[in-house]
């Protein structure tokens, strides 16, 4: 019920032929949490309903009624497709999410420990997994496509608040470009995203900061096995509370091997954050996950998974230090 294999959601998609080789389309997709008291409430900051509230504060939506939203809008956008490509406008997946999660370069499940960190590590520096903006997707040239994006900093709206004699403002602009080649057994992609965030007023570090993230992903299907992985590198540019910037690095690799309807897999990864000028890392994650998926039908998959994520930079003062393990057994049905 918690959607360990893939996030629970319900959505609507439609297209209309405009003639002259053009068509209009829309997508509205809502994340759902069947075991939450609020069906459309946010489940957790690291699970299927993940969304970044403040790109440079590193904070995420919490699963409470006092979070940024009591519902989880996964996507809601309008688009137009013609011979020169597709233009989408609205709340949609960022390039960071498309490469890290939606392109098949992460074989494990990002909804349990062991595979939810490395492939998306650093995306909170550049706008998170979804954001308002404009996206252009080029036509497919013999397997090669380009995605260009421009838009808001993240999931939360820009704010300008005045309280008494104190005023605060939070704004951000995100730009990203991604090239992907997919033809036959090979798929590979390279993406770069930059974000400029401005905080003034009540913030402890009132200035403009620039974050960036470069991602590389690839997979190759040998038939008997499939190999896939990602590599992320970037820089935070500081936070709302500190002018100290941090460097991030992350990688993960996975292997799956089909045996009829059974597809066992294994994935391992590392990720770390290194503040500039500091001797130690503020986060130093190791992750591993094993599992098996079994196709009951074209639309139904049973699965069993075990994963563990450990923060090797754990200290008594580090509130994010942890070692988390989880075993899940479930069924995914698409309708």
């Amino acid at each position: 019920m918690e959607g360990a294999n893939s996030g629970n959601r319900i959505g609507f998609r439609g297209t209309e032929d405009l003639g002259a080789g053009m068509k209009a389309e829309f997508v509205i997709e809502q994340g759902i949490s069947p075991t939450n008291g609020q069906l459309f409430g946010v489940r957790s900051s690291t699970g299927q309903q993940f969304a970044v509230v403040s790109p440079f504060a590193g904070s995420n939506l919490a699963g409470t009624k006092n979070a940024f939203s009591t519902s989880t809008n996964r996507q809601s956008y309008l688009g137009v497709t013609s011979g020169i490509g597709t233009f989408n406008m609205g709340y949609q997946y960022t390039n960071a999410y498309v490469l890290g999660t939606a392109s098949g370069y992460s074989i494990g499940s990002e909804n349990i420990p062991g595979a939810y960190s490395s492939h998306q590590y650093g995306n909170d520096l550049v706008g998170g997994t979804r954001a308002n903006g404009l996206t252009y997707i080029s036509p497919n040239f013999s397997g090669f496509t380009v995605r260009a994006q421009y838009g808001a900093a993240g999931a939360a709206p820009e704010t300008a608040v005045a309280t008494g004699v104190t005023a605060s403002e939070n704004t951000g602009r995100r730009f990203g470009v991604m090239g992907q080649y997919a033809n036959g057994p090979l798929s590979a992609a390279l993406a770069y995203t930059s974000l400029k965030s401005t905080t003034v007023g009540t913030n402890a570090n009132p200035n403009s900061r620039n974050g960036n993230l470069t991602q590389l992903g690839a997979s190759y299907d040998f038939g008997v096995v499939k190999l896939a992985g990602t590599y992320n590198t970037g820089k935070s540019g500081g936070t709302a509370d500190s002018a100290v910037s941090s460097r991030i690095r992350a990688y993960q690799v996975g292997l799956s091997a089909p045996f009829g309807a059974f597809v066992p897999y294994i994935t391992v990864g590392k990720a770390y954050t290194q503040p500039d000028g500091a001797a130690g890392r503020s986060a130093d994650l190791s992750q591993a996950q094993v599992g098996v998926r079994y196709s009951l039908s074209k639309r139904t998959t049973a699965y069993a998974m075990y994963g563990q994520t450990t923060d090797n930079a754990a200290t008594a003062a580090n509130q994010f230090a942890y070692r988390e393990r989880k075993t899940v057994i479930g069924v995914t049905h698409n309708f």
Side-chain angles (χ1 to χ4, degrees), residues 40-155:
F40 293 98
V42 180
R43 190 187 72 162
S44 70
S45 62
T46 55
Q48 69 213 51
Q49 313 297 0
F50 174 83
V52 171
V53 171
S54 177
F56 284 90
S59 58
N60 307 319
L61 288 176
T64 70
K65 65 179 180 181
N66 296 319
F68 163 63
S69 174
T70 56
S71 63
T72 304
N73 178 15
R74 293 182 61 96
Q75 293 193 97
S76 54
Y77 65 84
L78 297 173
V80 175
T81 298
S82 67
I84 62 173
T86 298
F87 294 87
N88 294 330
M89 176 178 64
Y91 189 72
Q92 54 197 298
Y93 293 152
T94 62
N95 283 347
Y97 182 80
V98 171
L99 189 149
T101 295
S103 295
Y105 304 140
S106 178
I107 288 178
S109 168
E110 66 179 0
N111 297 315
I112 68 169
Y116 63 45
S117 298
S118 296
H119 69 298
Q120 285 292 343
Y121 203 72
N123 69 15
D124 58 327
L125 309 179
V126 291
T129 60
R130 304 166 185 86
N132 284 301
L134 304 172
T135 298
Y136 166 73
I137 306 172
S138 75
N140 190 311
F141 298 101
S142 300
F144 184 77
T145 56
V146 174
R147 296 173 56 96
Q149 292 186 324
Y150 178 80

Side-chain angles (χ1 to χ4, degrees), residues 288-307:
Q289 187 180 106
V290 295
V292 60
R293 299 178 175 100
Y294 178 74
S295 297
L296 297 170
S297 69
K298 291 183 178 180
R299 298 187 299 168
T300 305
T301 301
Y303 58 87
M305 305 168 179
Y306 169 80

Side-chain angles (χ1 to χ4, degrees), residues 257-292:
F259 294 92
F262 286 94
V263 184
Y265 71 87
I266 182 171
T267 178
V268 296
K270 293 275 293 183
Y272 72 82
T273 299
Q274 176 69 58
D276 290 348
R281 297 172 175 176
S282 59
D284 188 1
L285 306 178
S286 299
Q287 64 177 35
Q289 187 180 106
V290 295
V292 60

